[in-house]
Amino acid sequence: MDLHGLQVTWLGHGTFKLRTMAGKSLLIDPWVQDNPACPADQKQVGKLDTVLVTHGHGDHIGNAITVARQSQPEQVIGVFEIATWLAGKGVQNTLGMNKGGTVDLGWVKITMVHADHSCGILDGDTMLYGGEAVGYVLRFQDGFSLYAAGDTNVFSDMRIIGDLYHPSVAILPIGDLYTMGPREAAYAARLLNISSIIPAHFGTFPALSGTPAALRAALSELGLSQIAVAEMQPGQSLG
């Protein structure tokens, strides 16, 4: 799997830490300290340049306030409603945006794209409106493009993401029940025209039953066995 020098560390469930060769670091979905899949020695993520939030569910945003306070990122990016909620909780440097928008951080261009999922924020005992769930396309200075889908089902406009941004690698959920499973993820790979998949959002709880092996089988059924599927353990890095 060619990541063009980018290091991708899976912290379990839907949480990933990315580090460039130049030392820039980015965290996708800050569920770390309370994430049962995250190894104990990875629960302190260190200094971060950027945090991306895909949606408001606790298994993705649950430690956003703690991580932002400890890691002091220059940007905490999310859909407008989530960024506003986080700012109201004291999180500094929030950047609210919306689908189709791009922010250029100099070392990476981040485009917010659609995801097909719900997005309520459980604040105490109250479920708040959190805008809509999103994914992100990350385009690095050397031309490498990575798509982080967040929690989603497959949707036909993934073909547009492929056509516009040409990601070669995608982080796709495969757990089933709350997101797409292996069969849908394989179809998503066909729409995106990608060469590699990093599976996410599986194995954390028994209900998330999708596996990388099942994804490989589904890809083979579609004649896409050439697509590489990473089989990572929480705490493991690629690149």
Side-chain angles (χ1 to χ4, degrees):
M1 187 177 297
D2 185 6
L3 296 172
H4 287 235
L6 182 70
Q7 183 185 69
V8 177
T9 303
W10 186 34
L11 298 182
H13 202 60
T15 303
F16 289 84
K17 185 177 181 180
L18 280 55
R19 185 175 179 85
T20 70
M21 292 181 67
K24 295 290 188 179
S25 59
L26 179 151
L27 188 71
I28 300 172
D29 281 343
W31 191 45
V32 184
Q33 289 82 11
D34 297 328
N35 181 349
C38 182
D41 63 354
Q42 300 277 356
K43 287 185 181 290
Q44 301 301 319
V45 296
K47 181 70 175 74
L48 297 168
D49 293 284
T50 304
V51 172
L52 300 181
V53 176
T54 64
H55 65 292
H57 293 165
D59 59 334
H60 293 260
I61 201 176
N63 298 125
I65 296 168
T66 299
V67 168
R69 183 176 64 248
Q70 294 179 349
S71 300
Q72 300 183 334
E74 296 177 10
Q75 302 90 16
V76 179
I77 297 174
V79 74
F80 177 79
E81 290 82 356
I82 286 179
T84 301
W85 180 80
L86 287 171
K89 297 293 183 179
V91 173
Q92 301 294 309
N93 302 324
T94 57
L95 175 57
M97 54 188 301
N98 223 310
K99 298 176 185 180
T102 298
V103 58
D104 187 348
L105 302 183
W107 57 279
V108 63
K109 291 181 180 178
I110 300 171
T111 300
M112 182 178 283
V113 296
H114 181 66
D116 189 5
H117 194 67
S118 57
C119 192
I121 304 170
L122 187 60
D123 191 340
D125 295 328
T126 303
M127 185 66 74
L128 304 177
Y129 175 67
E132 294 190 358
V134 304
Y136 294 96
V137 177
L138 282 62
R139 289 173 287 162
F140 296 90
Q141 289 177 306
D142 64 355
F144 175 64
S145 179
L146 179 146
Y147 168 46
D151 281 12
T152 190
N153 187 20
V154 63
F155 53 93
S156 60
D157 283 354
M158 285 181 171
R159 187 181 299 276
I160 296 177
I161 293 172
D163 287 347
L164 279 177
Y165 308 114
H166 308 290
S168 57
V169 178
I171 300 173
L172 299 179
I174 66 166
D176 213 337
L177 189 62
Y178 293 106
T179 69
M180 60 185 174
R183 184 166 182 255
E184 293 82 3
Y187 194 86
R190 182 165 74 176
L191 293 173
L192 291 161
N193 193 28
I194 52 177
S195 59
S196 303
I197 300 171
I198 300 174
H201 208 280
F202 71 96
T204 316
F205 309 106
L208 305 183
S209 58
T211 64
L215 175 58
R216 288 193 189 93
L219 288 166
S220 181
E221 289 179 4
L222 293 177
L224 298 173
S225 56
Q226 77 279 5
I227 295 178
V229 176
E231 190 152 357
M232 304 174 70
Q233 298 298 318
Q236 183 181 351
S237 298
L238 295 174

